[in-house]
Amino acid sequence: MSQSPKNIMITGGAGFIGSHVVRLFVKKYPQSKIVNVDKLTYAGNLNNLKDIEDAPNYKFVKADIADLDKMREIIKDNEITGIIHLAAESHVDRSIKDPFTFARTNVMGTLALLQAAKEYWDSLPEKYEGKLFYHISTDEVYGALEITNPEGVKAPFTTKASADDHMAFGVDFFVETTKYDPHSPYSASKASSDHFVRAYHDTYGMPTIVTNCSNNYGPYQFPEKLIPLFINNILQGKNLPVYGKGENVRDWLFVEDHARAIDLIFHKGKPGDTYNIGGFNEWKNIDLIKVVIKTVDRLTGKPEGTSEHLITYVTDRLGHDMRYAIDSRKLQKELGWEPSLQFEEGIEKTVKWYLDNKDWVDNVTSGDYEKYYDQMYKNR
């Protein structure tokens, strides 16, 4: 791109990751128009953006990304030159129960956005000059990795092991060229959407970028996901359901670090390229849960570990991948990005936020905000 896009459309901007990206862009780029497009499903909440909702360079539009005519209208009316596409159904358990919703939103929604952007940009004299379609995906499209190295020695899943430490130990990671091997309806739908984005680049010459990120955590995450769910359950003295033996391993990244990476890639990344975003911060689920328990206990005045009795082992999830791990050295070397927080620091900040924002948690778990939005927008 010869210039950075000025009118930027962010889909899913009322969700967990999206709200952090919207907030960052609204505050950092006051000369850019930021258009937040969100359907406001159960995981979308405009309360996530109260601090910037009146900013002069911010606009919210309630819309379904799978509505092609509406996407055409929004992109044309707002003269959109850049799209950051985060809107997606993302909960694996929900995808197992209702795969069709995931296919509609993640596949057909992405296709509608691509087509609407292509048609509008093709109509302009400068065509694709200064344009970008940036698609945010997941590490789950790659499938699963082993937990042991070739010699059968358990890998060093620590928060402070560097990328080179891990590589020297013989541990496999997902890289940008890893073959796709999705195992759940969710990851299959995201893999399909990734392929459509790359197809629009290869077929039509549309400037696109795809990033695949590891598990995010932090403020404003809907409490169906592991960390906020367990924080909330600990506070209420409810059971902490752990799949299988809790030995599945995930790489965790603080959401604000992901937002910084998105900003950097959007402005400096190479169109047509792929970047992996991860923290080299792997934890077994059971070990992560114990860190969360200790942190919540300590910050609520209890001896650390008091709430471990709430751990309850449940039947493992269908098709539960054993390990995900992202190699983000390409992003580090080419664009200079790296995570800013160690996991313990990020968990401390996250737990404190949930403790300080119990009204937000109560609101999203009650579902009252959904009824409010339905009433507000029903005649629009």
Side-chain angles (χ1 to χ4, degrees):
M1 291 182 296
S2 62
Q3 60 184 8
S4 296
K6 294 301 182 184
N7 295 337
I8 303 168
M9 174 179 174
I10 300 176
T11 70
F16 168 46
I17 300 173
S19 62
H20 287 275
V21 176
V22 167
R23 181 179 296 104
L24 174 62
F25 273 66
V26 167
K27 291 183 176 181
K28 188 173 181 179
Y29 303 107
Q31 301 308 313
S32 294
K33 179 181 181 181
I34 309 301
V35 181
N36 173 13
V37 176
D38 199 296
K39 188 179 178 181
L40 295 181
T41 61
Y42 75 96
N45 188 348
L46 291 179
N47 286 328
N48 297 354
L49 294 164
K50 280 288 186 182
D51 56 324
I52 55 92
E53 64 181 0
D54 295 323
N57 64 330
Y58 172 70
K59 177 181 180 180
F60 172 74
V61 180
K62 184 179 185 295
D64 181 354
I65 60 169
D67 184 340
L68 176 58
D69 289 338
K70 188 65 176 179
M71 293 305 102
R72 287 170 171 153
E73 174 189 319
I74 295 170
I75 291 171
K76 182 179 180 180
D77 289 354
N78 293 282
E79 300 180 328
I80 296 298
T81 53
I83 296 172
I84 301 176
H85 177 33
L86 288 129
E89 295 285 349
S90 65
H91 196 241
V92 175
D93 288 345
R94 289 177 183 262
S95 80
I96 293 171
K97 295 177 181 178
D98 182 15
F100 286 90
T101 294
F102 281 68
R104 181 184 183 278
T105 298
N106 297 352
V107 183
M108 299 308 296
T110 300
L111 184 56
L113 278 170
L114 285 164
Q115 184 63 21
K118 173 188 177 299
E119 291 174 1
Y120 174 63
W121 294 342
D122 276 345
S123 73
L124 301 176
E126 70 276 17
K127 303 292 185 181
Y128 292 136
E129 185 73 16
K131 313 300 191 300
L132 181 65
F133 189 104
Y134 177 1
H135 176 65
I136 284 80
S137 188
T138 172
D139 56 0
E140 297 190 37
V141 298
Y142 294 125
L145 294 168
E146 296 295 327
I147 287 188
T148 57
N149 69 7
E151 289 74 7
V153 181
K154 187 172 288 188
F157 302 117
T158 68
T159 56
K160 295 182 172 61
S162 70
D164 291 335
D165 288 339
H166 282 79
M167 296 302 179
F169 201 80
V171 182
D172 289 332
F173 283 80
F174 296 137
V175 296
E176 285 80 1
T177 56
T178 297
K179 181 180 177 180
Y180 275 27
D181 186 24
H183 294 160
S184 71
Y186 162 59
S187 57
S189 68
K190 289 298 290 184
S192 179
S193 66
D194 295 3
H195 290 321
F196 270 110
V197 173
R198 294 189 176 101
Y200 267 65
H201 174 268
D202 295 346
T203 303
Y204 306 113
M206 179 184 286
T208 66
I209 288 177
V210 176
T211 55
N212 301 85
C213 190
S214 56
N215 282 26
N216 280 216
Y217 70 97
Y220 297 107
Q221 189 171 28
F222 191 82
E224 68 179 356
K225 300 295 179 116
L226 191 151
I227 289 177
L229 171 67
F230 279 34
I231 292 172
N232 197 36
N233 280 13
I234 293 167
L235 293 175
Q236 297 185 42
K238 295 182 178 179
N239 286 341
L240 308 177
V242 179
Y243 283 126
K245 297 180 180 179
E247 294 182 348
N248 301 75
V249 175
R250 298 293 183 264
D251 176 25
W252 292 89
L253 182 67
F254 191 62
V255 65
E256 291 178 8
D257 282 333
H258 189 190
R260 287 194 305 104
I262 290 172
D263 175 28
L264 181 63
I265 294 166
F266 184 73
H267 288 96
K268 302 293 184 181
K270 178 183 176 183
D273 218 339
T274 299
Y275 299 89
N276 281 348
I277 308 172
F280 287 107
N281 178 37
E282 296 181 60
W283 287 80
K284 284 186 179 181
N285 284 347
I286 190 62
D287 294 334
L288 175 145
I289 290 162
K290 290 180 179 179
V291 171
V292 173
I293 289 171
K294 290 179 180 178
T295 306
V296 175
D297 284 345
R298 173 168 49 80
L299 292 177
T300 54
K302 303 174 185 175
E304 292 187 2
T306 299
S307 300
E308 284 193 14
H309 71 279
L310 297 173
I311 294 174
T312 304
Y313 295 94
V314 299
T315 303
D316 206 358
R317 168 193 288 161
L318 294 173
H320 199 179
D321 291 333
M322 184 55 69
R323 173 176 172 250
Y324 304 141
I326 282 284
D327 179 356
S328 56
R329 288 183 300 171
K330 173 182 175 179
L331 177 57
Q332 293 174 343
K333 291 177 179 178
E334 292 188 8
L335 300 183
W337 174 91
E338 62 182 15
S340 66
L341 294 178
Q342 292 291 340
F343 182 71
E344 293 88 342
E345 298 174 276
I347 283 293
E348 186 89 4
K349 289 184 66 172
T350 300
V351 172
K352 285 182 177 177
W353 186 89
Y354 281 96
L355 291 176
D356 292 340
N357 291 273
K358 291 181 180 178
D359 289 345
W360 181 90
V361 175
D362 292 342
N363 183 252
V364 299
T365 53
S366 71
D368 288 344
Y369 68 100
E370 290 186 86
K371 300 172 187 176
Y372 173 74
Y373 294 143
D374 287 344
Q375 182 67 28
M376 178 187 294
Y377 291 101
K378 70 177 182 178
N379 295 319
R380 294 192 183 185

